[in-house]
Amino acid sequence: MKSEKFASAPQFFTFFCNFVPVKRELSILIPVYNGHCLSLVTELSRQAEAVEGLIYEIIVADDGSPDAACVEANRPIEHLPHCRYVVRSENIGRSAIRNFLAREAQYCWLLYLDGDMSIVRPDFLQNYLNDDSSNVAYGGYTVGHAETSCLRYLYEKGAEASHTVEQRRLQPYRDFHTANFMVSREVMTAHPFDERFRHYGYEDVFWGKQLRQAGIAITHIDSPAHFAIFEDNAHFVAKTEDGLRTLHQFRDDLRGYNSLLTFVNGIHLSPVKWGIRLWHLLFGSLERRLLCGSHPNLTLFKLYKLGYFLTLKD
């Protein structure tokens, strides 16, 4: 039991972190909502136990999931070494739950993973612990397999080439996601996630912008988590619409950090925008039905997103 003798002294580690931010004490933080993450936590626990001298904890926070079966399925996490499972009664949002986890953590380094990720590389954790290049590191993610009738799978597979560490390093602040990253407690305390972002999407993009403005580097390393849980088409389209509403709400804050915003801002002729809006008003419902069906198309998906965004009202 590697951390028991330190568990009662979180203040010592907070003091120690301010002077020597070595990666020998680690808080692994996992927000989850209506999902199962027991296998993820089990593998992370196994890898952490295998690292000689590592002092660690794993905290899973359920953000007010309405699916009671999911909540209960994660209960065995409590019996794993150095693990805590916190179930919140109300949903507080994607930014606030990550800030909550940071406050709950007691060690110098914070490793965030989304609850729907999995770990397939045996050196996943060790790669993070070996990296000493910055206070923020992003490991990326790989994409699993699914049927071509799954829109989320098509979307992720279509973007897979941009997930390589070489491509991510070209735009380090834009190609960052909260699904799999490590940050020092000091940076996270000074730069928490903006809790205006309550709904789906873009809290990670805005956080990347904040770090850039603060002059804090994001290092991209090759330590991907694995994404292989794809929701059905109807849920993915609804989630996309939710994200587009978030993007529209914070479009001024995110200017220059999103390709759709850049494209829309590059349309200088009002008749073109009105034409796209009219197309969406006439055919958007049909496009949505096709996207939710068994033969989705990525080109149609892009057209639907553009039309949906341009018809949003303030």
Side-chain angles (χ1 to χ4, degrees):
M1 304 292 282
K2 295 186 178 63
S3 66
E4 284 183 352
K5 63 181 178 180
F6 296 102
S8 63
Q11 292 182 343
F12 167 77
F13 281 106
T14 300
F15 174 82
F16 183 71
C17 288
N18 291 331
F19 294 93
V20 187
V22 294
K23 293 182 179 175
R24 283 297 163 188
E25 59 281 335
L26 176 66
S27 295
I28 302 175
L29 309 176
I30 303 173
V32 63
Y33 181 78
N34 278 352
H36 297 188
C37 62
L38 176 59
S39 61
L40 169 64
V41 177
T42 301
E43 175 59 18
L44 289 167
S45 177
R46 188 195 66 78
Q47 290 197 16
E49 287 288 317
V51 178
E52 183 65 31
L54 179 65
I55 302 158
Y56 78 95
E57 64 181 348
I58 301 175
I59 308 175
V60 177
D62 182 281
D63 192 19
S65 294
D67 189 334
C70 284
V71 174
E72 292 307 312
N74 291 325
R75 289 285 181 193
I77 289 170
E78 299 170 338
H79 304 299
L80 294 172
H82 315 307
C83 289
R84 278 204 292 142
Y85 181 43
V86 181
V87 179
R88 298 187 60 92
S89 59
E90 296 182 4
N91 180 269
I92 58 175
R94 294 168 61 86
S95 291
I97 193 64
R98 288 172 172 82
N99 292 340
F100 166 78
L101 280 164
R103 292 191 298 270
E104 290 291 301
Q106 62 177 326
Y107 297 135
C108 296
W109 290 95
L110 314 178
L111 174 59
Y112 281 90
L113 282 156
D114 281 356
D116 58 358
M117 306 302 282
S118 59
I119 305 301
V120 295
R121 287 180 50 160
D123 59 349
F124 170 80
L125 191 57
Q126 190 65 62
N127 286 336
Y128 269 114
L129 297 173
N130 290 343
D131 176 66
D132 60 358
S133 53
S134 77
N135 284 320
V136 185
Y138 172 53
Y141 66 96
T142 55
V143 180
H145 297 285
E147 299 295 329
T148 56
S149 58
C150 177
L151 178 59
R152 179 66 184 271
Y153 168 69
L154 293 177
Y155 174 78
E156 295 293 350
K157 205 66 178 175
E160 189 173 31
S162 66
H163 298 329
T164 66
V165 66
E166 294 81 12
Q167 288 298 313
R168 288 187 274 118
R169 285 170 178 166
L170 297 177
Q171 298 187 90
Y173 293 96
R174 286 182 54 168
D175 288 333
F176 168 82
H177 303 280
T178 54
N180 171 28
F181 76 101
M182 181 177 281
V183 57
S184 70
R185 185 190 185 100
E186 181 182 5
V187 168
M188 195 64 202
T189 300
H191 303 280
F193 284 97
D194 190 324
E195 296 190 7
R196 294 178 301 159
F197 289 79
R198 284 189 51 85
H199 301 289
Y200 180 73
Y202 301 102
E203 78 286 344
D204 46 5
V205 178
F206 188 66
W207 195 66
K209 177 183 176 180
Q210 289 179 301
L211 294 187
R212 184 175 190 174
Q213 291 174 336
I216 298 171
I218 297 178
T219 298
H220 287 258
I221 67 173
D222 185 25
S223 192
H226 190 64
F227 179 63
I229 300 176
F230 308 105
E231 60 268 75
D232 62 55
N233 294 349
H235 281 92
F236 181 55
V237 171
K239 183 186 288 187
T240 299
E241 292 168 344
D242 195 11
L244 290 170
R245 290 191 294 271
T246 299
L247 180 62
H248 187 267
Q249 179 183 356
F250 297 103
R251 59 192 182 279
D252 292 334
D253 295 301
L254 298 171
R255 193 180 305 275
Y257 285 79
N258 176 264
S259 58
L260 178 61
L261 276 182
T262 300
F263 182 82
V264 168
N265 291 333
I267 303 175
H268 300 296
L269 298 175
S270 295
V272 175
K273 289 186 178 180
W274 278 109
I276 297 172
R277 290 189 185 102
L278 179 61
W279 175 274
H280 187 78
L281 291 172
L282 292 174
F283 301 108
S285 296
L286 174 61
E287 290 175 344
R288 196 181 196 283
R289 285 198 299 273
L290 292 172
L291 291 170
C292 292
S294 58
H295 300 284
N297 178 276
L298 284 181
T299 300
L300 183 64
F301 184 53
K302 292 177 182 178
L303 179 61
Y304 180 79
K305 287 170 61 179
L306 177 61
Y308 186 93
F309 183 81
L310 284 174
T311 55
L312 290 172
K313 304 295 184 181
D314 292 329

